[in-house]
Amino acid sequence: MPRLPSVPLPPGCGVSTFFLYLVNMNKMNVWNHQYSHPSQPECQCDEGAEPSTSSQPSTSNGEMEETNGECVLSVDSLASSIEYKSDAPPNNGPLRKALEELITTERDYVMGLRKTMALYHNVEPVRSTLGCTQRLVKNQEKLLIALERCFAPLQKDSEMDQLTEISASVSKVFIDSCGHLKVHAEYAAAFLRLQRAVSASDELKERLKSLNPSGEHSTSYESRMIQPVQRVARYPLLLDAISRCCTTSRETANITEQAASKMRSLLHYVNEMQRIEEHLSPRLKSIRAKHAQFLLSKGLRMEMGEMIMLVKVLWVQTTTEVDCFLFVYSSLVLLLPSTSSPQTESVLLPLDEVSFQEATDSSLLLLHIPLFSSSSTPFVYHINLPSPARKHLIKHIRKARLTLQSASQCWWKRFNIK
């Protein structure tokens, strides 16, 4: 066996340090041999690929040893592979993965919305039926910009405290954006109308099919246009995943749970809009047509996008009780009997003419005093509903009235009317 040549140690270099130097030199020789060998494939990494979130080094080449709770490469494996030990603290992986899944899928969603707009929005009746699509895309772009700002501090070696701060910022963005995301409900109802229009027109069906030359279902108009409804259903799941990983901060976990709860309420609202579109849309359309002059004279809007709340109530009349839907729009309240009957008609009440009085835990009196009326005696509508729903109804009516009053004051100031 040939002897190794005698190599003087550099000043201040111990034997153990020099041994590691020789191992590293041997490792580099293996590196050069592997990557210069013609049988080895080229590296296929993308230049803009995301860094690995794992805190454990790869085990594809070489053996692992556990020392003081850390996985490190044994000396024997150093010569056969190149491994990097992550500086990230343990247990960061799940939270990082949940955060990256949120931002990555949001980018893909916004990109998909833009492609859908470019492909189908110029086709009639897609443009007229899905008129809210442009507003939806704009709101999602604003949401993505806000999320990107939250993720700006994220680094490969970000510690748990920084990931927790990012989680809190992301959650606050969703809480603040909940109102703007309600356009998804309007979109979901409009999408059902479009599906009915496509089913009734072979010409429209062929026109939309021609815009998908690949013929694949994933690029069809149904798959592309259903994405907003699917995305709303996914928001609570993504935020729940982040909340479960915020184990070091109860405050951040609470904020994230609050954001997830907001998104679940939004999902319920979207589902309600679809249910209304399926079962009540013809009746609502008939009411709008019947009271068109009244709505116009009062400046009231009864479109789907103006709806704030829907609740089932019992309308107590003098001789009977009627099951009703109570709609709260941004400018009016609608009492709609569950079944159409000539004996009981729907009632439209302008929101700025409505007040309420709590009678019992399950009873509420809606008081209607028309503006400029000579009589000060209100029309009273006695309704029964469960206590939790009653509290929500009162809250939403108050909030809608404040919003309406604020908008009215802005209008007066705009024209310098005192």
Side-chain angles (χ1 to χ4, degrees), residues 38 60 66 74 128 150 190 221 231 273 303 317 335 365 415:
S60 58
E66 186 168 344
S74 65
S128 57
C150 296
Y221 87 92
R231 187 60 180 172
M273 290 301 100
E303 282 75 18
Q317 300 181 355
L335 269 172
L365 302 180
F415 291 96

Side-chain angles (χ1 to χ4, degrees), residues 99-347:
L99 287 169
E100 289 183 343
E101 182 179 6
L102 172 64
I103 191 63
T104 301
T105 53
E106 187 66 22
R107 290 167 184 157
D108 293 340
Y109 172 47
V110 172
M111 186 179 297
L113 286 177
R114 291 168 178 164
K115 289 180 180 178
T116 302
M117 281 279 292
L119 278 173
Y120 299 106
H121 196 62
N122 291 327
V123 179
E124 286 293 349
V126 175
R127 177 193 286 273
S128 57
T129 305
L130 298 180
C132 61
T133 305
Q134 195 166 3
R135 183 155 40 97
L136 185 147
V137 174
K138 185 179 294 185
N139 288 344
Q140 289 303 132
E141 288 175 341
K142 290 179 180 178
L143 175 64
L144 180 58
I145 290 172
L147 290 176
E148 294 285 10
R149 288 172 181 164
C150 296
F151 278 84
L154 184 64
Q155 301 295 330
K156 181 179 179 180
D157 57 350
S158 292
E159 297 183 355
M160 192 67 178
D161 289 345
Q162 189 173 44
L163 294 178
T164 303
E165 289 179 6
I166 293 173
S167 302
S169 300
V170 167
S171 301
K172 290 175 183 176
V173 166
F174 275 99
I175 292 172
D176 294 341
S177 302
C178 189
H180 298 293
L181 294 177
K182 285 176 67 176
V183 69
H184 283 78
E186 186 178 350
Y187 180 93
F191 179 63
L192 289 178
R193 292 197 297 273
L194 178 65
Q195 285 182 309
R196 289 197 291 266
V198 173
S199 299
S201 173
D202 292 336
E203 182 182 353
L204 177 58
K205 191 181 300 182
E206 290 301 318
R207 173 75 175 118
L208 293 174
K209 190 180 293 186
S210 68
L211 297 175
N212 180 27
S214 67
E216 296 180 4
H217 181 71
S218 60
T219 56
S220 65
Y221 87 92
E222 299 103 321
S223 294
R224 288 190 178 277
M225 293 184 185
I226 198 65
Q227 286 179 357
V229 182
Q230 294 172 334
R231 187 60 180 172
V232 168
R234 197 172 180 186
Y235 280 142
L237 303 178
L238 292 167
L239 290 167
D240 281 337
I242 294 173
S243 178
R244 286 193 299 268
C245 298
C246 295
T247 55
T248 61
S249 173
R250 185 66 251 174
E251 181 182 357
T252 301
N254 289 338
I255 295 174
T256 311
E257 288 169 7
Q258 183 183 352
S261 177
K262 286 271 189 181
M263 292 301 105
R264 275 189 286 272
S265 298
L266 174 64
L267 177 59
H268 176 73
Y269 179 72
V270 170
N271 292 335
E272 283 295 306
M273 290 301 100
Q274 288 183 303
R275 188 171 67 86
I276 291 169
E277 179 61 35
E278 282 187 280
H279 302 291
L280 300 177
S281 180
R283 294 182 64 193
L284 293 174
K285 186 176 180 180
S286 174
I287 291 171
R288 282 196 297 268
K290 180 179 178 180
H291 299 280
Q293 188 61 40
F294 171 77
L295 294 171
L296 183 62
S297 64
K298 294 283 188 177
L300 308 178
R301 295 175 59 85
M302 217 180 110
E303 282 75 18
M304 191 71 71
E306 300 290 326
M307 203 189 86
I308 297 172
M309 183 181 181
L310 166 64
V311 62
K312 294 194 77 171
V313 301
L314 192 65
W315 182 4
V316 181
Q317 300 181 355
T318 306
T319 59
T320 186
E321 296 179 346
V322 182
D323 287 319
C324 288
F325 295 104
L326 193 150
F327 294 82
V328 180
Y329 291 88
S330 59
S331 58
L332 62 92
V333 173
L334 169 66
L335 269 172
L336 178 68
S338 300
T339 56
S340 182
S341 169
Q343 287 78 22
T344 308
E345 294 189 355
S346 59
V347 176

